[in-house]
Amino acid sequence: MNDDGIEVLAEQKTLKVLPDIKIILELISKGVSLKDTLNTLVDYIETNSKEMICSILLLDDENQLRHGAAPNLPEDYIRSIDGTKIGPNKGSCGTAAFRNRQIVVADIANDPLWEEFKELARIYDLRACWSAPIHSSTGAVLGTFAIYYHKPCRPSQFHLQLIEQAVYLAAIAIEQAKVEENLLKSEQESHRLRVQLTEAIESLTEGFALYDADDRLVMCNSKFREFYVESADILIPGQRFEDHIRISAQRGQIADAVGREEEWVRERVKQHQNPKGSYRQKLRNGRWLLISEQKTAGGGIAGVRTDITRQVLYEEELRTSFHLIESIRNLLEHYIVDSNSDQVFEDLLLTLLNTSDSEFGFIAEVQESDSTSFIIRASKRRSAQDELPGFHTGPLSAILESGHLKTFFDQIVKSGEAVISCQSGEDSRLGSLAQDLFESELNSCLGLPIYSQGKLAGVAVIANRPAGYDEEYVEFIKPLLITGGTLIKAHRDEIVRVKNERALQISEERFSKIFHLNPLGKVIINFNTERLIDVNESFLITARYAREEVIGKTIHELNLFADTVRWQEIVGIAHKEGMVYDQETLLQTKIGEKRSIQCYACLIQTAGEPLLLVMYKDLTEQKHARELNRQLQIQLQHGQKMKAIGQLAAEVAHEFNNILVGINMNAELLLMTAENELPEEYRGPIQEIKNSGERATELVKQMLSFGRKKVPNTSWINLNMLITVHQNMYQRILGEAIKLQVNLDSNTKPAWADEAEIEQALMNLVVNARDAMPEGGTLAISTQNALFTEDQIAREYGTLPGSYSQISVIDNGCGMSAETVEQIFEPFFTTKPAEMGTGLGLSTVFRDISNNGGFISVESQLGQGTEFRIYLPQDQGKTVEAENIAPATSHDPITGGTETLLVCDDEESVLTVVSALLEKLGYSVIKALGPSKAIQAARSHIGKISLLLTDFNMPDMNGQQLAEELTQLDPDLKVILLSGMMGDILEYGDDFELIQKPAKIGQLAQKIRKVLGDTDRSGF
C-alpha cells in the first residue's frame, strides 16, 4: 500500500505467467488470423494471472483506436470505446498512444485522464487501467495493450515486466500481419498492372515488349527501354531477341550474366522461346525485374517487365525477420535447457554473428559492483567458432590498454548508443585495431550496448559484415539485444538464486545458533495446540526447566503464564496483526516464582500448522532500576525548568538594572544637594525612592543569579558554627512573637559547600517560616549526619549516594497543601501578597543547594506546619579557588577629585546620571554615548584623560574591547568596567577594575579614588 492508500499488487513468483514468444511464432507459422492470434495471447495472460482483464486496441490510419482483442471485456463497453480518437486525455489507451509512453491509472474514478469515460468505466466496475503503446520495429505506434482491474491498484515490477513482454509479442503479431498485408497488396498491384498493360502499354509503369514469330522485336514501351537503358539504342523494331540480350550481357547490364555471357544467353533464349510462367531477373544496377512472357496467337512472344525491387526487399526483410525470430527462439531454448547459465554469453554472441553474417566479435558484461568495469564473457570467429586470440575470458581493462579500442569502447559506454564504423582506413578509432587484436583485416565494425531494465548490462562488438552496418540494421537487431539483456538479467538472477540458496543454508545454521544462544528467552509454539516445539537455553535458565520437561507440553500444562487473561490477549493480537510488540506479562517458573517479562511474538505461517515465535526479556531486575530512575528524572526536569526560567529572569533583570541606575543615582544626587537648595520636606520622599531602588537592586541580583552560572566558592564549613553565629540575626528576623529553638548535633561533620550561598538559603527559609506564622509560633533549626545508600537515593531523591550533613528547619505555621508543595521551588511562584513576596526565595534556595551538590526536601500539611531538610555533601566535593571581590561599604566618606574622566555607556539615561554625579564630585567629565563616540572623544581631546569608566555590555564593541583600544592610545589610562552581570566580566578582573551596577555613589567614588590614587582628591 502506497502513501496515497492505493494498493501495489504483489509480485508473482512463477515465470509461467509471462507469455512465451513461442505462442506467437506457432500461430504465425500456422497462418492464424491476427484477431485469433491476439485473442490467444490475451487468453493466455488472463488465464495465468488473477483478477486482470486484458485488451488490445489497434491504431488505424485516422488515429482512431479499433478493437483488436478483449475476450473478457463487456461487449457494450468495447462498442462504446471502439473508434476513440487518441489524445492527451482519452483514458489510459488513448493517452498512451498519443503520448507514446506507458500510462498507469491506479484509480480511474479520481484520474483526470478518464474524465470523458469515467461514468462508462463505473458502469462496468472498471477501477484501474494500465496501458502501454505497441511499437513497430521502426518505432511507430501500432496500437495499445491494456490491463484492467476491478479495484484501484498499482502495478508491481512483475506486472511491468508482463506488460513489456505482452507488448513485445503483440508487436510481432501485428507487424507480421501488416507485412503479409503489404505483400498481398504488392502482388495484387502487379497483377492489375499486367492486365492493364494490353490496354495502355505506354502509360503503364511496367516494361512491355512484343516479338513476332521470328523472334524479332515488334514494339516496346518507354518503361522497357528504361529498364535496359544500357542497350536501349538497339531496341528498335526488327532487332532479334538473341542479339539484344547478348549485347546487354556484354555491356554488363545483367547481374547473372557477368563472367558467363554466352552460357547465360543460351539459357535465356531457351526460356524465352519456351515461356513457362514468370521469373526474376536482377540487373547490375540492383534493380529486380519480374519477367513474364507468353506466346501470342500468331506464334510470337509477348513479354512484360515489372519492377519488383521493393517487393524483393520486403521479402528479404521478412525472411530476415523470420530468421531473427527463429534465432531468438533458439537462443531462449538453449538458455532454458542449458544447465550452465554462463553459456548464455557465447550463445548470444554466435546468434549475433550468424544473424548479422558478421565475421567475428566479442561480448563484455558490465560489473554490477562497478558500472565502469567490464568482463569479457565470450569472443568468437564465426567460421571456426574459436576464441579470438586477443580476447580471452577475463577483465576487459588489459585489452582496453589499446588506445584505439578504448576510444571506440568509451564512445559506446558514454553515448549509450550503437557506434558504427564502415571505413576502417579513415576511422581514427579503429586504426591498427584489427591487426593488433583481431589478427584480421577490419572492413566494418559495430558496437552495440545491451540494456537490461534500463541499465547498461553489457556491450557487444561485431565486425566484418559483407553488407556493412547502418542505422537501419541497428534498429532491426534491437529485439535480439533486448532478448540478450533479458537473458543477462536471468543469468544474474540465477547467480543470485544459487548464492541465496547457499545463504539460506548458512542462515538456517546461523538461526539455529542465534536461537539457542540468544540471551533473550525464545519459545516456538504450535499456534493451534499451544504445544512447545522448541525453546532456547535462556528460557530454560529463566524458567528453571530442563528441555525434556517442556518440549511437547502445552502452555497450560506447564502453567507458564501466571496471568492467563493477559496471555490470551497477546495471542489474540498475534492472530489479528501477525506481530506483538512490547507486551508485559508474568512468566511463572518451575518453582512458582513469577518473573516480569517484556514479550514479543510473531505469527509464522509454515507449510504445516502456524507457529508462534515468542521472545521475551526478563524485566524483573530492570523494573527495580526503572523505579529508582523515576525520581531522578523528576529532579532533572525540575532543574531544566528552573534553568530556562532563570535565563528569562536574567534577561529581564539586565534591562531593569539600567533603569535602577538612573533611579538610585538620581536619588543620591538629589540627597547630596545642599540643604538651602532642597526643601526638607522633599528629602524624606527622595530617601524612600532611594530605599525602594536598593530593594529593587537586591531583587535584580536574585533574578540575575538564575541566568548566570556562578562558580561556587566551596570549602569545608562547620554548619553548627554557621548557625550559631547567625542565631541572633535569625531571632531579630523572626521577631518577638516567634520562638527560635536551635538543636545542633556536635557530631555533625563539616559540609563541602559555598558558605555565602548556604547563609542565603537559611536566611530565606527563616523569612519564609516567619511569614507562615503571622500570629506567632516556634521555629526549630537542627543539624545531624545522614547516610544514603544507592537504592535509597535513587528511589527518593535521585542524586549521589554517600554521607550528607542535614539541616532541618521546622515551623508550626499554617502549612501547605500538596498542590502548593509541588510548586514551591518554581521561580516566581508565591502564596504571599504581591507586596510581601517575589516568588524567588525558595527557588533561590533550591538553586543554591543544587549548585553545592546537595538537595532539599519538604514535608507540609495544612494547619500542621512545614519541615524543610537540607542535605549537603560531606565527601563528594573538590576544592576550588574562591573569588574575592569585596564590595565597598556605603558608610565611608564620599571622596571626589579634579581629574578628567571619560564616561561611556550606550544607555543615555545611565550616562547622564553617572556623569552628573561625577561632576558633583568635582571631576571633569567627558561623556560618550557608545564606544565609537568614546574613541572619537579620546582622540580629539587635548589634555590628559586619567580614567575610562565604561559599561561592559554594549553592542558592536564591549567595554573590555573599548578599554584595549584606548589604552593603546594612552598606556597610562586607568580603566573601570561596570556591568549588571559580574559573571560576564570576572575574567577581566586581573587587567581592569570591576564594579557591579547599579552601584552606590560611595562605592563608585571609593573605587575611582582607589584606581587614581589619593592625589587631587576632595571630600564631601
Side-chain angles (χ1 to χ4, degrees):
M1 189 75 69
N2 278 355
D3 294 339
D4 54 8
I6 296 179
E7 177 185 359
V8 177
L9 295 182
E11 298 281 348
Q12 289 186 241
K13 303 301 182 182
T14 175
L15 294 176
K16 183 179 178 183
V17 180
L18 295 177
D20 196 313
I21 193 173
K22 292 189 294 186
I23 297 174
I24 300 301
L25 296 178
E26 290 176 359
L27 295 173
I28 292 175
S29 64
K30 293 177 180 178
V32 176
S33 68
L34 176 61
K35 179 179 179 181
D36 292 341
T37 300
L38 296 181
N39 275 321
T40 301
L41 175 61
V42 170
D43 282 337
Y44 181 90
I45 296 174
E46 290 180 346
T47 301
N48 291 280
S49 300
K50 297 179 180 179
E51 302 179 329
M52 65 172 61
I53 303 173
C54 299
S55 167
I56 295 177
L57 298 177
L58 303 179
L59 185 65
D60 64 16
D61 294 335
E62 296 179 358
N63 283 335
Q64 294 178 336
L65 291 175
R66 296 296 183 180
H67 173 63
N72 290 313
L73 275 178
E75 289 293 331
D76 289 343
Y77 179 80
I78 293 174
R79 283 193 295 270
S80 297
I81 65 172
D82 187 40
T84 298
K85 197 171 186 66
I86 66 174
N89 293 289
K90 293 292 184 176
S92 299
C93 296
T95 306
F98 179 81
R99 297 181 180 176
N100 197 12
R101 63 180 178 87
Q102 186 178 99
I103 297 296
V104 174
V105 173
D107 186 358
I108 290 176
N110 297 306
D111 198 295
L113 297 181
W114 277 78
E115 188 64 32
E116 185 177 344
F117 307 97
K118 188 179 300 183
E119 184 60 25
L120 181 64
R122 186 192 63 78
I123 294 173
Y124 300 103
D125 194 30
L126 301 177
R127 305 296 303 281
C129 181
W130 320 325
S131 180
I134 302 172
H135 297 111
S136 69
S137 59
T138 61
V141 176
L142 301 175
T144 62
F145 172 81
I147 295 179
Y148 290 88
Y149 273 88
H150 290 303
K151 61 181 180 180
C153 56
R154 297 186 186 280
S156 67
Q157 188 60 41
F158 165 79
H159 293 90
L160 295 176
Q161 184 181 358
L162 175 62
I163 293 172
E164 180 182 353
Q165 182 74 352
V167 166
Y168 170 65
L169 296 181
I172 293 175
I174 296 171
E175 193 159 24
Q176 172 63 26
K178 286 186 175 292
V179 170
E180 292 177 352
E181 181 182 357
N182 290 337
L183 182 59
L184 179 60
K185 289 180 179 178
S186 177
E187 291 176 350
Q188 292 173 346
E189 180 68 11
S190 297
H191 176 71
R192 185 181 64 82
L193 292 175
R194 286 194 298 270
V195 172
Q196 292 181 351
L197 186 61
T198 58
E199 299 176 357
I201 293 176
E202 192 61 33
S203 62
L204 295 179
T205 59
E206 291 150 327
F208 176 80
L210 180 64
Y211 290 88
D212 60 17
D214 295 329
D215 215 10
R216 294 182 181 277
L217 181 64
V218 176
M219 59 86 65
C220 66
N221 65 0
S222 57
K223 197 66 176 178
F224 190 90
R225 292 186 178 87
E226 178 187 331
F227 290 153
Y228 300 102
V229 64
E230 291 85 351
S231 57
D233 57 321
I234 61 172
L235 288 174
I236 56 178
Q239 179 69 48
R240 295 178 65 250
F241 175 77
E242 183 176 347
D243 295 338
H244 171 241
I245 63 172
R246 178 174 284 107
I247 294 173
S248 294
Q250 291 173 351
R251 293 179 179 180
Q253 187 174 7
I254 310 301
D256 291 344
V258 176
R260 52 186 290 270
E261 287 79 1
E262 288 301 321
E263 180 182 358
W264 177 82
V265 168
R266 289 193 296 271
E267 294 174 355
R268 179 68 188 91
V269 169
K270 185 177 181 180
Q271 286 178 333
H272 175 74
Q273 294 177 348
N274 299 283
K276 295 179 179 180
S278 303
Y279 62 92
R280 295 179 178 184
Q281 184 181 79
K282 184 179 181 180
L283 303 181
R284 188 68 180 270
N285 60 10
R287 177 176 283 184
W288 282 86
L289 301 178
L290 179 65
I291 300 177
S292 300
E293 295 177 320
Q294 62 182 7
K295 286 187 177 293
T296 65
I301 301 294
V304 177
R305 306 294 189 271
T306 305
D307 187 347
I308 60 170
T309 305
R310 181 174 296 179
Q311 177 182 332
V312 171
L313 292 178
Y314 280 156
E315 292 173 354
E316 180 63 27
E317 180 181 338
L318 183 59
R319 283 193 297 270
T320 306
S321 297
F322 272 113
H323 178 57
L324 178 63
I325 294 171
E326 184 65 17
S327 299
I328 292 173
R329 185 186 65 80
N330 291 334
L331 182 61
L332 293 171
E333 283 185 356
H334 287 169
Y335 178 78
I336 293 171
V337 302
D338 200 326
S339 59
N340 180 14
S341 63
D342 288 338
Q343 186 66 28
V344 66
F345 295 99
E346 185 173 322
D347 291 343
L348 177 59
L349 177 58
L350 287 174
T351 303
L352 277 170
L353 294 175
N354 292 331
T355 303
S356 64
D357 199 24
S358 297
E359 183 181 352
F360 50 78
F362 69 90
I363 288 181
E365 181 189 9
V366 177
Q367 292 290 82
E368 289 188 281
S369 59
D370 181 4
S371 60
T372 63
S373 179
F374 293 81
I375 295 288
I376 293 292
R377 290 300 191 186
S379 64
K380 288 291 180 183
R381 192 182 304 277
R382 185 166 66 97
S383 57
Q385 292 195 6
D386 55 355
E387 284 194 356
L388 299 176
F391 285 82
H392 300 293
T393 301
L396 186 61
S397 56
I399 301 174
L400 287 179
E401 291 177 359
S402 165
H404 300 299
L405 179 58
K406 188 175 190 310
T407 302
F408 185 73
F409 202 80
D410 284 348
Q411 185 173 351
I412 300 172
V413 175
K414 291 178 181 178
S415 67
E417 298 178 353
V419 176
I420 304 170
S421 176
C422 294
Q423 296 178 336
S424 59
E426 301 177 7
D427 196 333
S428 60
R429 297 170 304 187
L430 303 182
S432 59
L433 179 64
Q435 190 62 36
D436 293 344
L437 297 173
F438 301 128
E439 295 185 0
S440 177
E441 180 182 356
L442 190 64
N443 300 319
S444 58
C445 188
L446 175 62
L448 297 166
I450 303 174
Y451 284 91
S452 175
Q453 296 182 344
K455 293 183 179 180
L456 186 65
V459 171
V461 178
I462 54 178
N464 287 6
R465 181 178 185 242
Y469 306 100
D470 53 24
E471 295 293 342
E472 184 178 351
Y473 179 74
V474 172
E475 286 297 319
F476 169 76
I477 207 72
K478 276 186 178 179
L480 181 55
L481 297 178
I482 294 173
T483 303
T486 302
L487 292 179
I488 291 176
K489 176 64 168 57
H491 164 71
R492 291 175 173 177
D493 290 345
E494 177 64 15
I495 294 175
V496 172
R497 185 191 64 79
V498 173
K499 182 179 179 180
N500 288 343
E501 286 182 353
R502 175 57 183 159
L504 178 60
Q505 180 182 355
I506 296 173
S507 175
E508 290 174 348
E509 296 173 356
R510 186 182 296 120
F511 170 79
S512 178
K513 293 179 180 179
I514 292 174
F515 178 81
H516 289 288
L517 301 179
N518 198 295
L520 294 178
K522 293 189 176 184
V523 186
I524 298 178
I525 304 170
N526 185 306
F527 187 82
N528 294 332
T529 64
E530 292 195 347
R531 293 189 180 276
L532 276 66
I533 296 176
D534 200 359
V535 297
N536 70 349
E537 294 300 320
S538 295
F539 169 83
L540 296 175
I541 293 172
T542 304
R544 308 284 184 89
Y545 281 103
R547 181 177 299 276
E548 58 273 10
E549 292 178 314
V550 295
I551 300 301
K553 299 291 184 64
T554 68
I555 294 293
H556 303 293
E557 288 174 343
L558 296 172
N559 197 22
L560 275 182
F561 297 99
D563 189 346
T564 56
V565 175
R566 181 65 179 141
W567 166 248
Q568 290 302 323
E569 289 177 355
I570 294 173
V571 172
I573 295 172
H575 183 263
K576 181 180 179 181
E577 301 182 5
M579 290 291 295
V580 177
Y581 300 96
D582 298 335
Q583 299 293 322
E584 289 194 17
T585 186
L586 295 176
L587 178 72
Q588 185 164 295
T589 68
K590 181 180 179 181
I591 61 175
E593 178 188 6
K594 295 180 180 178
R595 308 285 295 180
S596 180
I597 62 171
Q598 186 177 38
C599 180
Y600 305 82
C602 175
L603 185 62
I604 304 173
Q605 297 292 345
T606 64
E609 294 182 300
L611 303 178
L612 185 65
L613 172 61
V614 179
M615 300 169 285
Y616 67 84
K617 183 179 181 181
D618 193 343
L619 302 178
T620 308
E621 285 75 19
Q622 290 186 10
K623 275 202 167 185
H624 294 302
R626 191 182 305 159
E627 179 60 26
L628 296 177
N629 289 331
R630 188 178 66 85
Q631 290 295 332
L632 179 60
Q633 291 293 332
I634 294 173
Q635 292 285 337
L636 176 62
Q637 292 171 3
H638 185 69
Q640 290 172 338
K641 183 189 297 184
M642 290 189 63
K643 179 180 178 182
I645 297 177
Q647 289 174 346
L648 175 61
E651 293 299 326
V652 174
H654 173 65
E655 296 300 325
F656 193 44
N657 227 342
N658 287 328
I659 300 173
L660 288 177
V661 170
I663 295 173
N664 292 354
M665 286 194 171
N666 274 308
E668 288 196 72
L669 184 61
L670 288 172
L671 291 174
M672 291 171 61
T673 306
E675 294 183 1
N676 58 350
E677 295 180 7
L678 181 67
E680 186 62 30
E681 61 269 20
Y682 289 169
R683 289 188 179 273
I686 292 173
Q687 184 64 44
E688 283 300 318
I689 292 173
K690 178 185 175 185
N691 294 341
S692 298
E694 289 175 352
R695 288 196 298 272
T697 299
E698 292 303 317
L699 175 60
V700 168
K701 288 180 180 179
Q702 286 187 339
M703 293 174 68
L704 283 172
S705 66
F706 279 94
R708 302 295 172 185
K709 187 174 181 180
K710 173 180 172 292
V711 179
N713 183 15
T714 51
S715 62
W716 293 107
I717 59 175
N718 188 322
L719 297 179
N720 289 346
M721 184 176 296
L722 175 68
I723 295 171
T724 300
V725 168
H726 293 85
Q727 183 173 348
N728 291 335
M729 183 177 64
Y730 297 157
Q731 185 63 67
R732 286 195 299 272
I733 294 173
L734 293 172
E736 296 180 357
I738 299 175
K739 181 181 179 181
L740 175 64
Q741 295 179 349
V742 177
N743 183 17
L744 307 177
D745 186 348
S746 60
N747 294 321
T748 302
K749 295 181 180 180
W752 183 262
D754 186 321
E755 184 171 355
E757 290 186 348
I758 302 306
E759 287 179 9
Q760 181 182 357
L762 286 172
M763 194 75 70
N764 284 334
L765 290 178
V766 170
V767 172
N768 195 70
R770 179 199 64 190
D771 295 340
M773 298 181 288
E775 304 298 328
T778 301
L779 175 66
I781 301 177
S782 62
T783 62
Q784 66 182 61
N785 294 318
L787 177 64
F788 291 100
T789 64
E790 183 174 352
D791 289 345
Q792 186 180 11
I793 280 288
R795 183 172 62 254
E796 297 183 9
Y797 303 109
T799 186
L800 297 174
S803 300
Y804 289 81
S805 297
Q806 175 183 329
I807 304 175
S808 298
V809 180
I810 307 172
D811 68 66
N812 60 356
C814 59
M816 296 177 288
S817 66
E819 293 78 8
T820 302
V821 170
E822 288 291 329
Q823 304 177 69
I824 57 171
F825 293 124
E826 295 183 3
F828 306 110
F829 174 80
T830 181
T831 59
K832 301 175 185 178
E835 65 275 7
M836 293 182 60
T838 64
L840 291 175
L842 290 178
S843 60
T844 303
V845 172
F846 182 87
R847 192 279 320 274
D848 289 344
I849 300 303
S850 299
N851 285 350
N852 286 276
F855 56 95
I856 184 172
S857 66
V858 59
E859 292 183 6
S860 182
Q861 291 185 4
L862 284 174
Q864 298 184 20
T866 302
E867 177 180 1
F868 288 92
R869 289 189 293 273
I870 297 174
Y871 298 94
L872 298 173
Q874 295 178 349
D875 53 11
Q876 293 90 335
K878 66 177 183 178
T879 303
V880 297
E881 295 182 359
E883 299 171 1
N884 186 17
I885 304 175
T889 66
S890 60
H891 303 292
D892 297 329
I894 300 175
T895 306
T898 59
E899 293 90 346
T900 299
L901 309 183
L902 175 58
V903 180
C904 178
D905 200 297
D906 62 324
E907 287 285 342
E908 187 172 3
S909 62
V910 175
L911 177 63
T912 301
V913 68
V914 172
S915 299
L917 282 170
L918 293 178
E919 289 173 346
K920 189 76 172 178
L921 295 177
Y923 295 107
S924 176
V925 179
I926 302 173
K927 294 185 286 186
L929 186 61
S932 60
K933 297 290 185 180
I935 295 172
Q936 181 179 352
R939 288 176 175 171
S940 61
H941 179 70
I942 301 174
K944 175 70 174 177
I945 297 177
S946 300
L947 181 138
L948 168 67
L949 181 64
T950 179
D951 185 23
F952 180 80
N953 296 295
M954 295 184 292
D956 300 329
M957 177 184 290
N958 62 34
Q960 178 258 342
Q961 293 170 332
L962 173 61
E964 291 177 350
E965 181 83 14
L966 295 184
T967 51
Q968 289 181 359
L969 299 176
D970 182 4
D972 295 330
L973 179 67
K974 306 299 183 182
V975 179
I976 295 178
L977 299 178
L978 296 96
S979 177
M981 294 177 284
M982 292 297 288
D984 289 343
I985 63 173
L986 285 177
E987 60 183 288
Y988 307 112
D990 294 337
D991 300 325
F992 309 112
E993 289 294 331
L994 314 175
I995 190 167
Q996 184 170 3
K997 294 194 303 184
K1000 296 180 180 180
I1001 185 61
Q1003 294 173 322
L1004 180 59
Q1006 291 174 33
K1007 179 67 74 173
I1008 293 174
R1009 290 312 325 158
K1010 176 184 176 183
V1011 172
L1012 293 177
D1014 292 336
T1015 60
D1016 295 333
R1017 69 176 180 173
S1018 59
F1020 286 81

